[in-house]
Amino acid sequence: MEELISDIYEIIKDFREEEGMMNKERIKIWIDQFNPDDRIFVLEEMKHILKQRYISKDKAKELVKGMIEFLVSNFKFNSAKDFLLQSSFIDNQPEGKSQKVLLKFLDEIIQTEYSTSIAECNSTNPKYYIYIDDILCTGDTLIKGLTINKGDNIGWFNKTNENGKTNLTIFNENKAVLVIAYFCVHKLKIKKLHQRLWFIMDKKNIEMVYAFDDTFNIDNDIDDPNSKLDFLFPTENVKDDSVIEFQTNIENKIWQQGYNKTDKIKYREQTKPHNETFFTSAPNRERFEKIILTKGIELYNHSETLKNNFRARPLGYGLAFDMNLGFGTLIFTWRNVPFNVPLVFWYQDHLWKPLFERKFISFTSKDIETTLKVIAEEKMKNITQEEYNVIRTAYVTNREKHKTDYPKLLELDVNFLEEITGIEKKYWIDGYLNSPSFHRYFKKITMDARGAKFLNDGYESWAKGLISSDNLLFKFIILNNRGAVFNNIESLRKKILESSGVGEGSPINTIKLGMPPEEQEKK
């Protein structure tokens, strides 16, 4: 088993490498959660799958360059630079999503290879608008990002340019072409994408050209008799009591929404695909699908959050009305995995450690707030007083051990916050504290005795200078709880001043964060 773990690690070792996310121990922890008799088999099949479906950072750069070469040839330009000077790249996804990373790759490549840059491309009167992303699953990210027009959420086509026209108006005036460039697409969804976009855009025709490498495409067109079906799509042989119960619950949930009132969940025909090319063999495919589905149903049934989400399925999220056991996607990149991938690979709660920890980045602050709340609720429901005491004891011990090491103390505080509330530290560090509903939710959490105790300890440590003023947690506390909280810290600060005094750059200056401007001047 150790050799298999090492082999898999070599394939996926650059997964979120800058965060030190992947290591052999993580792979071992993940596989040890399966039944002992299944572990070697799952690793063997995963090694085979990952060789086909893991996109490393270096591979991603190759694919980006390949997209440009394909488009230059497709549109019959003499040189890449000539094509690029008639093109504009759509940049409409938030920080943290794949698009900005890929555009950075693209800019580096065209500067090095073609002596130009994205800044020099035609942003005012282009013939080609290029939308680049990594994976197209349901198509929701693309469709909403281009077409949404609700309140503050405005899709790219509906945004007004500096000349007062919408991007759609300019697109139509230029008789432009929309180029959709992906590393991987689900063939069934790409077939429907044009029709879906046409309908949402009030039946305005959008000329589209697709640019993607067929290497990573997923053939999930279940109505095509020759489809490779290279995703998780079980046969009825997986059915046992838990699967039958789950199927009934999902079908009822979809019918109650008014969708597909006569449909039932479909299973793969035993004879399809005619030639198994994706898994190591047809029998191994059946066994693998059974294992992943069974474990996914366990995770689903354990979580009220999943059960209350109309899109959630054991084999991966889909659309709310999808009549299936899950999307079944098996594609992974060096920076993230889609939530259309089965739960066992990315879903995380206190009872399950995923192989790939998924980044949750959404288009709107509302989505971010929802994500934070869901994570926090799951954790807070499941932490006991005994568990808290263990966390608290370790925290106090480590603080005493590192009491002169300020960076370490900051790390300890953020880790402690994560363990108690379940809100991952990266959300704090990345600045999601600006979400108004999260402010309200945090206040609700701090009313809990465990949260209150943490805050009291935190106030004391911060006022004593044991915590950096760069700690977003405590900036948040001071800025949003000026009353009693500020008074407590100010009182403690005065006691410290009376006993030993503090100099410039001390907690006095960080405490001022919570004061009105006129009070800061007095201090």
Side-chain angles (χ1 to χ4, degrees), residues 7 26-27 80 111 131 261 277 292 328 355 387 445 487-488:
D7 290 345
R26 185 181 190 92
I27 300 170
Q111 287 186 50
Y131 181 98
K261 291 189 176 181
T277 59
I292 301 302
L355 178 59
E387 288 172 324
I445 291 176
N487 292 335
N488 288 343

Side-chain angles (χ1 to χ4, degrees), residues 139-235:
D140 256 20
T141 297
L142 181 144
I143 293 291
K144 289 179 179 178
L146 292 180
T147 68
I148 196 166
N149 195 11
K150 295 180 180 178
D152 295 332
N153 296 329
I154 306 297
W156 181 83
F157 272 125
N158 297 310
K159 286 185 177 177
T160 302
N161 213 305
E162 59 269 13
N163 58 13
K165 296 180 179 180
T166 66
N167 287 324
L168 179 60
T169 299
I170 298 169
F171 182 91
N172 289 331
E173 288 176 352
N174 293 348
K175 297 182 180 179
V177 175
L178 177 64
V179 176
I180 306 298
Y182 280 91
F183 293 166
C184 164
V185 300
H186 290 70
K187 290 187 176 180
L188 182 61
K189 293 301 179 182
I190 206 72
K191 281 173 62 176
K192 297 179 178 179
L193 185 65
H194 199 171
Q195 181 181 5
R196 192 176 169 195
L197 185 62
W198 173 79
F199 182 79
I200 293 174
M201 296 299 292
D202 295 326
K203 302 181 181 179
K204 296 182 178 72
N205 189 48
I206 304 293
E207 186 178 350
M208 298 169 65
V209 169
Y210 302 107
F212 38 76
D213 188 315
D214 200 50
T215 303
F216 295 101
N217 287 342
I218 297 172
D219 194 350
N220 68 333
D221 190 347
I222 63 176
D223 296 323
D224 181 353
N226 298 314
S227 174
K228 295 178 183 178
L229 301 178
D230 45 6
F231 67 110
L232 291 189
F233 183 28
T235 68

Side-chain angles (χ1 to χ4, degrees), residues 15 53 55 97-98 134-138 141 184 186 218 315-318 327-343 345-347 356-360:
F15 177 74
R53 290 283 179 78
I55 302 175
K97 296 286 271 186
S98 300
D134 53 0
I135 301 166
L136 184 138
C137 294
T138 64
T141 297
C184 164
H186 290 70
I218 297 172
L315 295 183
Y317 282 38
F327 217 75
T329 293
L330 291 173
I331 186 75
F332 313 88
T333 79
W334 86 101
R335 49 178 316 283
N336 212 356
V337 294
F339 64 3
N340 314 91
V341 167
L343 299 179
F345 296 106
W346 62 267
Y347 185 72
F356 300 99
E357 183 178 325
R358 177 176 154 74
K359 279 188 176 181
F360 292 86

Side-chain angles (χ1 to χ4, degrees), residues 220-251:
N220 68 333
D221 190 347
I222 63 176
D223 296 323
D224 181 353
N226 298 314
S227 174
K228 295 178 183 178
L229 301 178
D230 45 6
F231 67 110
L232 291 189
F233 183 28
T235 68
E236 293 207 29
N237 291 340
V238 301
K239 281 189 174 182
D240 57 19
D241 290 344
S242 68
V243 175
I244 292 170
E245 181 182 1
F246 174 79
Q247 176 182 338
T248 301
N249 290 339
I250 288 296
E251 288 171 347

